[in-house]
Amino acid sequence: IKDSDWIIEVIVEKLDIKQSLFERLEQFRKPGTIISSNTSGIPTHLMAAGRSDDFRKNFLGTHFFNPPRYLRLLEIIPTPETDPELVSFMMHFGETFLGKQTVLCKDTPAFIANRVGVYSMARIFQLTEELGLPISTVDKLTGPAIGRPSTGTFRLADLVGHDTGVKVMQGIQQNCPDDEQAGAFNVPPYMQFLLDNKFLGNKTGQGFYKKGEGKNTKGQTEYLSLNLKTLEYGTDPRVDLPSLSLSKQIEDPEKRINAIYQSPDDGGRLVKAHLLGLFSYVSNRIPEIADGINSIDDALRAGFAWTYGPFE
């Protein structure tokens, strides 16, 4: 690494292991080399503790969203000791040469997109249990129906990886004592079941969903989903919700979201409760995680591929 201009750390989400690596890096890096961390949520200043003045001056967070070839968000997270010129350079370099949507974040746990996005997922987990809806139905309600990717919520959690997701949830809960929604980040029993069995999602081939052995009526591979109450895998029962029908009938996304929001069935209740909670949550995060609403909207659009940011 002695000839490298920029070194990015992308190892396990454990502070002591990251600090140990940075101690080793400092033996070989040349002065002025940029050092950054791709952490999903560990406060940046903690990782640079104990390093030299030159290391801390050239250290910051550069959080690329997964998968980086598809998601445009690059969060730039300086510490109070990061050289302001380096921050300006990284914002420009990320946007101009890497083609990213760079967003300047405050050094708070989980930064912007994960702080809001993980809350959004955790709240939907809660509402799914409260309303007793199958997870495949919830994924349909929280995907393209409301201007979000086809992964919905539970498939997105499988994509992220439950080990990483839970670490971010716990980090927010432990390090944000004044967060009014701290209870939403409790790890539910079914998530603990997945962790205990190492059903970590796509990377282990099993999470909220897993491949079945049969084919569906269209001849496609059948996927089984986890029943959150029984913790058994099976085919979700068909649920006929007017709100789901609306999502297929209305092409205009703004009219569609409004129609689902107003729907009196369980699908509408889930979307309405989720969006109201989200509006409240992001409003309370100014100026804690960002100074302006645009930073939050930009981060969620580019990092979670939402068509509309929360404020928008």
Side-chain angles (χ1 to χ4, degrees):
I1 65 161
K2 63 183 178 60
D3 297 321
S4 301
D5 295 314
W6 177 14
I7 302 163
I8 311 176
E9 168 273 307
V10 289
I11 64 172
V12 68
E13 286 288 89
K14 292 188 178 178
L15 177 61
D16 57 337
I17 297 178
K18 289 182 187 291
Q19 288 175 327
S20 175
L21 176 61
F22 291 138
E23 183 177 5
R24 291 166 58 201
L25 288 177
E26 186 146 43
Q27 300 172 43
F28 303 103
R29 68 178 283 273
K30 64 178 183 287
T33 298
I34 302 166
I35 306 279
S36 70
S37 173
N38 187 58
T39 178
S40 298
I42 297 175
T44 311
H45 67 278
L46 296 178
M47 292 182 282
R51 305 276 57 81
S52 68
D53 289 346
D54 185 79
F55 188 107
R56 297 197 308 274
K57 173 183 172 182
N58 290 287
F59 181 76
L60 74 169
T62 52
H63 183 208
F64 291 82
F65 266 63
N66 186 40
R69 64 186 178 277
Y70 297 128
L71 296 178
R72 290 189 60 234
L73 181 60
L74 171 56
E75 292 182 318
I76 303 294
I77 311 106
T79 76
E81 297 177 282
T82 305
D83 184 346
E85 289 189 12
L86 174 61
V87 177
S88 297
F89 168 78
M90 294 303 292
M91 291 287 289
H92 174 73
F93 184 85
E95 188 165 333
T96 305
F97 294 97
L98 301 183
K100 295 294 182 181
Q101 169 75 64
T102 53
V103 175
L104 184 62
C105 303
K106 295 190 177 182
D107 190 15
T108 54
F111 317 125
I112 294 177
N114 272 342
R115 179 72 175 276
V116 176
V118 172
Y119 162 74
S120 173
M121 292 172 66
R123 181 66 181 126
I124 291 170
F125 290 165
Q126 285 183 327
L127 291 166
T128 302
E129 277 194 290
E130 290 173 15
L131 295 168
L133 291 170
I135 66 172
S136 61
T137 299
V138 173
D139 278 350
K140 291 173 185 172
L141 287 164
T142 57
I146 58 170
R148 297 185 188 171
S150 57
T151 47
T153 301
F154 291 91
R155 286 192 184 280
L156 175 61
D158 274 358
L159 176 64
V160 169
H162 301 304
D163 49 346
T164 299
V166 165
K167 282 189 176 71
V168 175
M169 288 170 67
Q170 291 174 332
I172 294 171
Q173 195 169 51
Q174 293 165 7
N175 298 308
C176 302
D178 298 327
D179 190 314
E180 75 283 357
Q181 290 294 332
F185 298 100
N186 292 334
V187 178
Y190 54 82
M191 188 73 83
Q192 193 61 51
F193 163 79
L194 295 175
L195 293 175
D196 292 343
N197 287 281
K198 294 185 169 53
F199 299 156
L200 303 180
N202 293 8
K203 59 187 172 185
T204 61
Q206 184 170 346
F208 284 119
Y209 293 92
K210 72 172 184 177
K211 278 186 179 180
E213 296 179 0
K215 303 282 186 180
N216 62 21
T217 54
K218 297 179 180 178
Q220 301 166 328
T221 301
E222 184 179 55
Y223 280 86
L224 306 178
S225 56
L226 183 70
N227 184 305
L228 302 186
K229 291 182 180 177
T230 66
L231 302 181
E232 295 175 343
Y233 288 91
T235 303
D236 277 344
R238 180 178 174 82
V239 178
D240 290 317
L241 292 172
S243 53
L244 273 180
S245 299
L246 286 171
S247 71
K248 300 171 185 175
Q249 296 167 6
I250 303 173
E251 191 170 334
D252 183 281
E254 294 182 19
K255 291 179 180 177
R256 183 173 64 243
I257 294 168
N258 188 50
I260 296 171
Y261 179 92
Q262 301 290 351
S263 183
D265 64 11
D266 282 346
R269 280 191 276 273
L270 181 138
V271 168
K272 187 171 189 173
H274 162 59
L275 290 179
L276 288 174
L278 180 64
F279 300 152
S280 173
Y281 193 72
V282 293
S283 298
N284 288 333
R285 301 285 73 79
I286 302 280
E288 179 192 352
I289 66 174
D291 288 323
I293 63 176
N294 287 345
S295 295
I296 290 179
D297 278 359
D298 287 346
L300 271 296
R301 282 196 302 262
F304 281 80
W306 290 4
T307 302
Y308 303 101
F311 289 103
E312 185 180 16

